[in-house]
Amino acid sequence: MKRRWNRSSREAWARPTPGKQEAEEKLRMFARVLHSAAEGIMITDPGGRIVSVNPAFSRITGYSEEEAVGRNPNLLKSDVQQAQFYVDLWAAVHAAGYWEGEIWNRRKNGDLYPQKLSISTVRDEGGAIRHYVGIFTDMTERKQADIDLRLYARLFESASEGIMITDTNGRILSVNPAFTATTGYTLEEVVGRSPRILHSGMQDAAFYVDMWAAIHATGCWQGEIWNRRKNGDIYAEWLSINAVREENGRISNYVGMFTDITERKKSEEHLKYLALYDPLTELPNRTLFRERLQQALQFAGRQRQRVALLFIDLDNFKFINDSLGHAYGDQLLQQAAKRLKSCVRKNDMVARLGGDEFIIVLPHISAAQDAIHVVKHIFEQFDAPFTFGPHTHFATASIGVSVYPEDGDDPETLIQHADLAMYHAKNRRNDKFQLYAPHMNDQLKRRMELERALRDAMAKDQLHMYYQPQMDIHTGTIVGMEALLRWKHPELGLISPAEFIPLAEETGLIVEIGDWVLRQVCGQNKAWQAAGCRPVKVSVNLSAIQFQQRNLADQIRDVLRQTGLEPQWLCLEITETISMYQVESIRIMLQELKAIGVDVAIDDFGKGHSALSYLKRFPIDIVKIDKCFIEGIHNDPENEAIVRAVTDLAHGLRLQVIAEGVETEEELAVLRQLRCDRVQGFLLGRPVAAEAMERLLAGDREAAGR
Ligand code: C2E
Ligand code: MG
Ligand code: MG
């Protein structure tokens, strides 16, 4: 209990009233008060010697009355206060008769302790100072409590963890700034409300029931929880809830402390994601695909079901990527991924194996026919052009299919066989899909052998040029020829360019081969002229890869100069696949070629995704209508209509029209009627070696001369 000593009581004590008995009674009372006071009391004389102390003094300081009396009060002095402090203290006592404040003293055992001290002067009737009275309380415990409180408050304010204190009814009493930083709610917004305002709905009711059961049983709970910020964002926090108990054991509050672990979660999730998904298309990657395929096979094995694997490869992707840039390539892959996903059911899986290769797993099929159904669906999806901002492009895909258990019973074999089937599909014109068949393994072997062999075919002089004549449809004279590459393999025999040109393109050998072809053909044409043959234009096929070479025009100029051939006797054939992409840069390249003075022909026109507008946009001279439109044209009104339209349009644009692959007189008759300019095909002459062509040219001259 705290006693207050006011001035009047001090004065009453200092100035006892007259009347002896009464006075003695009062003195005894004062002595009792002094004795039983909880405050330490020390009385000194003006000379500064202690004359009396009470028991509380001894309790606090450790000095007994005997030890203290007669000594100077500075036996309690600590060096915590500076000398000036004591000067000021005594100045105040003398001026006002009173001083009150906090002071650190030292107990007998050497411990420092804080005390609240008041010093008063006791004067006699004449006003002279008779005594000083010091009254003090030990502040140690209160000080500690103060310090603790202040410390807790600072911790609460500055903690990086969010802290929320609730009462036992689950009403929020207080939150700290970190709480506000994480949740977005200020103290004012949440006081009195339930922590449920943070619920995200990501945990079910059972979660909270378990959580509270743990708190009631053990007094605490901790774990990961998803909550919702004021702005609606969901975040993850690591939360610990502790029940705070009073001394009697009753719970008075709950304290929740949490750290926002969203970022950490995100990076964990992200790492997991990166390990299993392709970030570009967001499809499962090779690893996840293998895992799922393995599961699907095990399941299908037990259920006696089939699993189909569709290996999908985008055609010409490398070309798109190299010529249009990787950003386009990426977009194409993303759009293709979306289309593939739209073709399958929920339980099927589309994965990206890397590059332009995708794979689809159809886990529950009863027959291969089910897979073909999906393949057809994919082709339909790829019929529409892909759009990149203002540009649209067509892209096709080749698909190989393998089926468990017929084509293999482990992931490795099934993938390999689907891949193999896909390679076969690539070589098909339309419906570029293929079911795996055992003989494909042999073909793969051949392909690998070819690849090796092609590398040294040039060095070993195994490449030769053949020439196929092109006739004027009206006069029948040879007005041009197409140079066609042949590979005479010592063991495998004559290999078709349709087989090895794609291989050369894939391996990059085409650049070297293409250069050789140009030199060979220009040199040969010049030689014929030198031998007195009537000059004719010779066409050379350019691969898309060659066309991408920036120095193509320089290369051609160089070849012409070295062989001495005049440019008007050279024609370059480019295919539609070239003309489809990068319209503007192709136009510039073609103009460069035109500037040299050579002709340019569009080959296999109509076979791919032709745009008639290319005929107008590109500076070309000749359109070669693909043989698929010529074949049986006399019996096919649709093809006839197409050839008529293309011919009329080409003529309107002052382009010449060549019909490719003319094999019968009937076809020739229709083409003549459609006013086609030139014809090329087995009917008029198969591709032949240079010597045979020279004889043909000579014969033609004789025939023309007759
Ligand atoms: P292409 O440029 O369309 O050549 C015409 C193809 O049709 C040639 O096949 C030719 O032999 C064939 N052909 C000609 N008349 C007929 C016919 O009446 N009926 C049928 N069914 N076919 C006929 P080839 O020589 O096997 O060449 C295939 C393709 O290989 C060529 O198609 C061309 O794209 C490419 N190629 C050939 N030589 C070269 C070359 O030196 N460089 C490049 N980059 N590609 C070449
Ligand atoms: Mg050609
Ligand atoms: Mg052609």
Side-chain angles (χ1 to χ4, degrees):
M1 198 182 67
K2 188 174 182 231
R3 262 165 253 220
R4 262 203 69 75
W5 291 76
N6 57 36
R7 189 163 272 273
S8 63
S9 64
R10 274 198 312 266
E11 275 168 10
W13 188 28
R15 249 184 283 116
T17 44
K20 196 165 180 236
Q21 194 154 356
E22 228 178 298
E24 275 178 5
E25 185 52 39
K26 264 205 171 132
L27 276 175
R28 270 198 297 277
M29 183 187 78
F30 286 137
R32 276 200 305 277
V33 169
L34 185 92
H35 192 83
S36 59
E39 287 87 358
I41 300 174
M42 170 177 68
I43 302 169
T44 62
D45 64 16
R49 277 179 331 128
I50 298 171
V51 293
S52 180
V53 297
N54 70 347
F57 172 96
S58 300
R59 220 171 33 244
I60 295 170
T61 65
Y63 292 103
S64 65
E65 190 176 0
E66 295 74 40
E67 288 169 322
V69 169
R71 307 269 308 265
N72 188 288
N74 63 13
L75 92 155
L76 300 174
K77 199 174 159 190
S78 75
D79 45 15
V80 172
Q81 291 79 215
Q82 309 269 309
Q84 188 60 42
F85 174 86
Y86 294 98
V87 173
D88 294 345
L89 183 155
W90 287 111
V93 173
H94 290 132
Y98 182 73
W99 178 90
E100 193 176 48
E102 272 179 32
I103 182 166
W104 284 84
N105 275 351
R106 196 180 293 282
R107 301 187 218 273
K108 187 183 168 194
N109 67 5
D111 285 355
L112 275 174
Y113 70 99
Q115 64 176 26
K116 194 166 169 64
L117 171 66
S118 66
I119 300 173
S120 331
T121 53
V122 181
R123 292 173 193 269
D124 61 15
E125 292 80 3
I129 293 176
R130 296 284 301 274
H131 293 104
Y132 297 101
V133 181
I135 303 176
F136 58 90
T137 42
D138 188 344
M139 304 268 295
T140 312
E141 279 176 16
R142 189 126 54 85
K143 259 276 187 294
Q144 195 54 51
D146 268 8
I147 290 170
D148 287 351
L149 274 180
R150 241 177 294 153
L151 209 65
Y152 292 149
R154 248 211 321 274
L155 274 175
F156 184 77
E157 288 300 308
S158 63
S160 57
E161 284 86 11
I163 304 176
M164 170 172 67
I165 302 171
T166 70
D167 63 15
T168 49
N169 295 322
R171 299 280 139 206
I172 297 173
L173 299 176
S174 187
V175 296
N176 71 342
F179 173 98
T180 304
T182 302
T183 66
Y185 289 107
T186 63
L187 177 62
E188 294 71 33
E189 286 170 327
V190 295
V191 161
R193 299 182 65 184
S194 158
R196 242 168 269 141
I197 51 169
L198 301 173
H199 278 200
S200 63
M202 304 264 291
Q203 289 82 214
D204 56 11
F207 175 89
Y208 293 101
V209 169
D210 289 350
M211 181 177 102
W212 282 107
I215 296 169
H216 290 134
T218 65
C220 62
W221 176 89
Q222 55 180 10
E224 241 175 58
I225 181 167
W226 290 88
N227 273 349
R228 188 186 297 277
R229 302 188 215 273
K230 187 180 171 190
N231 66 8
D233 286 353
I234 304 275
Y235 69 100
E237 62 178 38
W238 179 260
L239 172 64
S240 68
I241 299 176
N242 282 283
V244 180
R245 289 179 194 276
E246 287 171 352
E247 270 147 35
N248 60 18
R250 264 207 0 245
I251 292 174
S252 62
N253 299 89
Y254 294 103
V255 179
M257 287 175 74
F258 60 87
T259 30
D260 188 338
I261 53 168
T262 314
E263 287 310 311
R264 198 182 77 204
K265 288 290 281 189
K266 264 194 207 152
S267 59
E268 275 173 20
E269 296 279 311
H270 191 59
L271 283 177
K272 229 186 284 170
Y273 182 85
L274 283 184
L276 296 177
Y277 287 85
D278 163 45
L280 178 69
T281 58
E282 297 179 354
L283 292 178
N285 66 9
R286 191 181 278 272
T287 312
L288 184 56
F289 152 70
R290 266 169 199 276
E291 225 176 272
R292 297 245 182 106
L293 176 60
Q294 184 75 56
Q295 289 165 3
L297 294 184
Q298 277 166 3
F299 185 80
R302 287 195 298 271
Q303 304 286 316
R304 300 192 173 282
Q305 282 182 331
R306 289 187 163 80
V307 176
L309 229 65
L310 276 57
F311 200 113
I312 301 149
D313 187 282
L314 302 185
D315 300 326
N316 295 313
F317 180 75
K318 186 176 156 24
F319 179 70
I320 296 170
N321 215 24
D322 291 350
S323 61
L324 297 184
H326 290 251
Y328 275 83
D330 284 355
Q331 284 190 51
L332 176 61
L333 290 172
Q334 285 170 333
Q335 292 183 27
K338 255 198 214 119
R339 291 190 191 186
L340 291 177
K341 272 181 91 171
S342 76
C343 296
V344 299
R345 289 167 309 183
K346 217 175 113 223
N347 289 331
D348 304 335
M349 175 167 73
V350 184
R352 182 178 172 215
L353 293 189
D356 59 345
E357 289 175 352
F358 296 90
I359 205 151
I360 292 180
V361 184
L362 307 174
H364 313 290
I365 60 160
S366 45
Q369 195 55 39
D370 297 351
I372 295 175
H373 193 71
V374 175
V375 167
K376 295 232 164 89
H377 204 43
I378 295 172
F379 285 145
E380 276 162 27
Q381 281 292 313
F382 274 68
D383 270 348
F386 289 81
T387 53
F388 314 106
H391 310 280
T392 60
H393 295 291
F394 287 94
T396 55
S398 304
I399 304 176
V401 180
S402 67
V403 178
Y404 166 90
E406 289 89 337
D407 302 336
D409 53 12
D410 62 288
E412 220 46 62
T413 313
L414 284 166
I415 296 167
Q416 205 186 327
H417 287 170
D419 188 5
L420 199 53
M422 188 279 293
Y423 263 105
H424 282 265
K426 274 249 183 256
N427 292 328
R428 292 175 64 120
R429 282 268 161 100
N430 307 307
D431 280 352
K432 289 159 83 85
F433 93 90
Q434 189 82 53
L435 290 171
Y436 168 77
H439 68 82
M440 288 175 179
N441 273 322
D442 306 335
Q443 289 175 348
L444 176 74
K445 239 186 257 154
R446 177 176 155 96
R447 191 189 141 88
M448 281 160 62
E449 277 166 19
L450 278 186
E451 195 172 327
R452 209 175 316 116
L454 183 59
R455 286 187 189 278
D456 46 38
M458 287 183 59
K460 291 185 177 160
D461 245 353
Q462 292 169 359
L463 297 184
H464 303 275
M465 292 317 300
Y466 271 42
Y467 298 89
Q468 186 178 28
Q470 297 168 342
M471 319 295 192
D472 181 299
I473 202 165
H474 304 294
T475 65
T477 48
I478 299 177
V479 285
M481 59 181 89
E482 178 172 9
L484 295 162
L485 188 55
R486 294 291 175 264
W487 178 8
K488 283 183 187 154
H489 192 282
E491 289 126 44
L492 300 171
L494 210 58
I495 301 173
S496 157
E499 193 170 349
F500 72 83
I501 292 285
L503 198 66
E505 284 177 339
E506 265 172 49
T507 52
L509 270 173
I510 190 69
V511 175
E512 213 179 315
I513 294 176
D515 187 62
W516 179 85
V517 168
L518 268 170
R519 280 171 207 281
Q520 191 69 20
V521 171
C522 292
Q524 181 62 66
N525 201 6
K526 182 70 188 174
W528 282 326
Q529 290 179 8
C533 298
R534 185 170 50 84
V536 286
K537 220 181 263 282
V538 184
S539 297
V540 171
N541 292 285
L542 283 189
S543 146
I545 310 274
Q546 278 174 284
F547 201 77
Q548 265 174 266
Q549 308 288 123
R550 286 191 192 288
N551 60 352
L552 179 64
D554 291 339
Q555 185 196 359
I556 285 165
R557 256 192 297 267
D558 192 49
V559 171
L560 290 174
R561 204 187 52 244
Q562 285 184 10
T563 56
L565 186 73
E566 289 163 274
Q568 73 261 35
W569 305 117
L570 179 64
C571 174
L572 301 172
E573 292 192 7
I574 61 169
T575 56
E576 280 179 313
T577 36
I578 295 181
S579 43
M580 264 166 61
Y581 307 110
Q582 258 189 338
V583 172
E584 190 49 27
S585 68
I586 281 163
R587 208 174 55 82
I588 292 168
M589 173 64 90
L590 287 176
Q591 264 163 356
E592 245 184 280
L593 296 178
K594 288 298 303 165
I596 298 174
V598 299
D599 275 1
V600 175
I602 289 217
D603 202 358
D604 304 343
F605 190 79
K607 196 175 96 181
H609 294 282
S610 311
L612 288 174
S613 64
Y614 293 149
L615 297 183
K616 178 166 171 277
R617 259 195 272 175
F618 293 143
I620 51 175
D621 308 277
I622 297 163
V623 179
K624 294 186 76 176
I625 300 178
D626 192 71
K627 50 179 166 286
C628 67
F629 298 104
I630 309 302
E631 195 186 337
I633 190 169
H634 50 286
N635 289 325
D636 190 333
E638 272 178 29
N639 275 356
E640 189 189 320
I642 290 169
V643 173
R644 185 194 306 276
V646 173
T647 307
D648 288 350
L649 179 75
H651 285 165
L653 294 166
R654 293 180 210 291
L655 307 176
Q656 284 211 15
V657 177
I658 302 182
E660 288 188 299
V662 182
E663 293 183 353
T664 65
E665 289 291 351
E666 289 88 347
E667 290 163 359
L668 185 63
V670 177
L671 292 168
R672 201 174 274 134
Q673 194 197 324
L674 294 177
R675 298 195 306 117
C676 195
D677 303 294
R678 285 197 236 164
V679 279
Q680 176 183 347
F682 293 169
L683 176 69
L684 307 137
R686 289 184 175 258
V688 290
E691 307 76 54
M693 180 47 93
E694 190 174 332
R695 282 196 296 277
L696 237 136
L697 276 177
D700 183 66
R701 184 176 50 186
E702 280 160 19
R706 269 204 304 263

